[in-house]
Amino acid sequence: MMYQYRILAYAVFFFIEAILYLLPGWMPSTVPFGVRIPPEFAGDPVLVRLRHRYRQWVVVLALVMGLLLVLATRFLPSPGGTMLLSSFLPLLWLIVGYAVYYATRRQLLAIKTKQGWYEGQRTAAVAEIPEGAEADRSRARSQWLWILPMIAISAVTLFLALWRYPHLPAVLPIHFGPNGQPDAYARKSVAVALIPFFTQLGLLFVIGLSMVFTNRMHTPLNPAFPRTSSVQQRVFRSRIVIALGLMGIATALSLLTAELLELRVLPPQITAWGIGLFPVLGLAGVIVITARTGQLGSRVRVEAAEQPTGFVARDDDRFWKGGVFYYNPEDPAFWVPKRFGVGWTLNFAHPGSWVMIGVVLLAVVSPLATHLF
Amino acid sequence: MFISIDFADDKPIYLQIHDQVIDAIASGKMFPGSVLPSSRQLAAEFGINFHTVNKAYNLLREERYIQFSRKKTAVVSEPLMNETLLQEWDNRERTLLAELVARGVSRQDIVHRVGRLLDSVRLSVENGSKGGEQK
């Protein structure tokens, strides 16, 4: 029973630690450790030293956390231990990782201020205005490349469920333990038989919406290298769409496997593995894409080298509370690129962000509430 | 095409945006029918107040370089020229020319300079950049 939970716990552990270790290499060179610096300091020995120190700490703490994990999987009684593994430990790893980031950021901020890296810099901002409409249209088409397989998988799921429905027993399993043994049941109805399909529909909606938003996400260009950062951000957006597509297809396949399990089409030992396998494969693909792209396409090589314009972005460090939360009432932007991470985060000074948080909280709390009452 | 604003420049930001849009139209990077991003979107990209971008757009509209479509998007207008506008331009240009004359720059020099500036404005059109001829 505990066996597969352990594998999952170790997988999450390696996933989190690997990302913590690699993340500094994925960030744009002008925002190392969440600190905005002029491009001429991007190769400064101070940064090389800080990056080295950050990685040493991540490795040392990963060893400690790994030991904790081994002890937890060995000695904790299984039901409580499972809860601990699945919720508390990953949170602890994230907090420890954040602490290392925060300490490194503080050091860099102090050095930047003391040595006056931003003094006498000419600050500017650059925006790009599309010259033609063709580029936007071709990007919109590329979304369908990823949405269509998801629709096909959902259709297969629906077809299988309706085809097998008359042959199903009066009571259907709706939840399974890690080795494919059902541990919750419901009376037979079309709605219950179609739970995986409805989940796929919801997923399709969320992924499709995320793709549309991703393609519309226009974030500030680097004024020092506007042409380069424009190309990089375009590649970044299209890679994020691919990553979303991969994750969507993987999850849809996982749900199809869940439907097969529910319908008893395949032996439960096979399908139980399939449910977990597809998301892991999808996640692995997403990590490879991210590692090759970097935040805002910072790892994308642009053929034509660009001379620095002599301008730098405004110093916006003070708007990043704790190095991760952006709060700037003067900035009309709703989405802003993450300061230490890949993707976008909210401008918490924007009124819309509170609506967003409310919606997410509601989505998280309402299933819990219905579960409790 | 890129629009950049220099925060240290004495020229107000809305005028910097305004001038660069006119420059883009002159050089053929934008042409009648070209759509400008919404003032909110452009402001978010710059990280500045959207009223500043609105101010630039409103000035451009008053000067008939752009117009707002029914969906309130800013679109570059067909070029407009009339006697009043020419008269206004003459007045401004006369002051600029007078500055050089007052400082003793020769007529030949002035004509040469003006010709060179005019060439630089029209450079991208003659280089066959996409734009004007597409429409």
Side-chain angles (χ1 to χ4, degrees):
Chain A
M1 164 82 189
M2 279 295 290
Y3 179 60
Q4 270 144 345
Y5 269 119
R6 265 188 219 170
I7 292 182
L8 187 67
Y10 280 107
V12 172
F13 173 72
F14 283 115
F15 174 70
I16 290 179
E17 296 300 341
I19 285 184
L20 284 175
Y21 185 86
L22 294 170
L23 203 47
W26 292 351
M27 299 312 293
S29 61
T30 47
V31 271
F33 297 107
V35 179
R36 178 83 69 188
I37 62 165
E40 71 247 42
F41 293 100
D44 202 274
V46 163
L47 280 170
V48 178
R49 210 183 64 223
L50 281 178
R51 204 169 293 138
H52 188 65
R53 189 98 59 79
Y54 168 91
R55 292 207 157 129
Q56 275 178 340
W57 271 106
V58 167
V59 169
V60 168
L61 289 167
L63 290 175
V64 176
M65 294 297 124
L67 195 69
L68 262 179
L69 177 62
V70 171
L71 291 176
T73 49
R74 286 270 149 128
F75 297 110
L76 284 170
S78 27
T82 312
M83 280 289 287
L84 191 84
L85 284 184
S86 56
S87 52
F88 174 67
L89 278 181
L91 200 65
L92 183 70
W93 302 329
L94 286 177
I95 291 171
V96 166
Y98 169 72
V100 180
Y101 159 66
Y102 185 77
T104 316
R105 177 175 178 270
R106 287 278 308 254
Q107 287 178 39
L108 182 55
L109 272 176
I111 292 165
K112 172 188 162 182
T113 317
K114 206 175 122 204
Q115 300 186 357
W117 286 7
Y118 240 87
E119 271 159 37
Q121 297 286 346
R122 289 173 68 197
T123 56
V126 181
E128 190 173 18
I129 294 181
E131 284 178 41
E134 304 86 22
D136 290 292
R137 246 180 271 132
S138 75
R139 251 187 289 134
R141 241 181 275 128
S142 75
Q143 298 171 13
W144 285 101
L145 207 72
W146 298 98
I147 289 288
L148 282 176
M150 288 177 69
I151 294 178
I153 295 165
S154 310
V156 170
T157 312
L158 176 68
F159 171 77
L160 277 175
L162 294 180
W163 174 56
R164 293 286 302 175
Y165 186 74
H167 313 289
L168 291 177
V171 173
L172 293 178
I174 54 164
H175 194 265
F176 299 88
N179 54 354
Q181 286 308 309
D183 54 15
Y185 298 86
R187 207 165 331 133
K188 175 180 174 177
S189 71
V190 179
V192 168
L194 288 180
I195 286 175
F197 172 70
F198 289 131
T199 317
Q200 282 171 336
L201 284 193
L203 180 78
L204 203 61
F205 178 73
V206 171
I207 295 276
L209 207 64
S210 309
M211 285 178 171
V212 170
F213 274 122
T214 300
N215 277 334
R216 288 189 182 174
M217 207 68 86
H218 289 270
T219 35
L221 300 175
N222 183 355
F225 304 97
R227 226 161 275 280
T228 307
S229 72
S230 156
V231 174
Q232 288 179 329
Q233 288 199 22
R234 206 168 306 145
V235 174
F236 178 68
R237 285 194 295 267
S238 64
R239 297 262 175 93
I240 291 283
V241 167
I242 293 172
L244 282 167
L246 264 184
M247 226 32 234
I249 290 174
T251 318
L253 280 172
S254 168
L255 286 161
L256 173 60
T257 331
E259 182 74 69
L260 291 176
L261 184 60
E262 191 174 305
L263 302 173
R264 298 277 142 167
V265 177
L266 289 175
Q269 289 81 0
I270 297 175
T271 41
W273 275 105
I275 291 175
L277 183 70
F278 288 115
V280 168
L281 285 180
L283 210 56
V286 169
I287 292 178
V288 171
I289 291 172
T290 314
R292 295 191 52 174
T293 311
Q295 167 71 330
L296 299 179
S298 64
R299 293 177 72 87
V300 174
R301 193 102 55 84
V302 177
E303 286 303 320
E306 186 181 14
Q307 287 299 313
T309 55
F311 288 103
V312 296
R314 281 187 291 184
D315 187 349
D316 51 355
D317 293 339
R318 64 187 179 283
F319 301 121
W320 286 90
K321 312 296 175 196
V324 281
F325 297 108
Y326 186 67
Y327 187 93
N328 181 1
E330 301 288 304
D331 190 346
F334 180 55
W335 294 103
V336 290
K338 277 187 191 160
R339 202 62 156 192
F340 194 66
V342 176
W344 296 272
T345 179
L346 297 172
N347 176 5
F348 289 97
H350 195 291
S353 70
W354 297 103
V355 177
M356 193 79 157
I357 293 167
V359 169
V360 171
L361 272 182
L362 208 70
V364 173
V365 171
S366 57
L368 281 179
T370 50
H371 207 74
L372 288 173
F373 303 112
Chain B
M1 57 161 286
F2 296 102
I3 290 192
S4 55
I5 54 179
D6 181 347
F7 292 110
D9 199 330
D10 288 334
K11 198 197 271 184
I13 290 172
Y14 82 93
L15 273 185
Q16 295 185 34
I17 298 170
H18 165 269
D19 294 358
Q20 286 178 72
V21 171
I22 296 179
D23 217 71
I25 298 172
S27 66
K29 283 179 189 148
M30 300 193 91
F31 42 88
S34 291
V35 176
L36 287 152
S38 75
S39 51
R40 259 171 211 287
Q41 194 189 324
L42 195 55
E45 269 186 71
F46 282 134
I48 59 171
N49 197 308
F50 83 97
H51 291 298
T52 312
V53 181
N54 262 345
K55 203 167 165 186
Y57 280 13
N58 282 331
L59 185 57
L60 285 164
R61 191 194 51 180
E62 277 166 30
E63 295 169 348
R64 306 285 191 88
Y65 290 109
I66 64 169
Q67 60 199 45
F68 290 108
S69 75
R70 248 172 297 153
K71 286 192 303 185
K72 297 221 170 140
T73 42
V75 183
V76 176
S77 314
E78 290 292 335
L80 172 89
M81 207 12 138
N82 58 34
E83 208 41 55
T84 335
L85 286 172
L86 272 177
Q87 198 64 52
E88 278 173 21
W89 185 85
D90 283 352
N91 288 339
R92 276 188 290 147
E93 182 64 10
R94 195 171 186 286
T95 315
L96 288 173
L97 291 172
E99 283 174 14
L100 290 190
V101 176
R103 289 177 197 275
V105 181
S106 77
R107 182 195 173 88
Q108 200 191 345
D109 243 19
I110 295 175
V111 170
H112 179 68
R113 288 192 95 77
V114 170
R116 222 177 50 203
L117 285 171
L118 189 58
D119 286 344
S120 78
V121 165
R122 294 182 47 83
L123 197 63
S124 6
V125 178
E126 268 129 42
N127 280 355
S129 123
K130 64 174 177 179
E133 56 267 53
Q134 248 185 8
K135 268 266 153 177

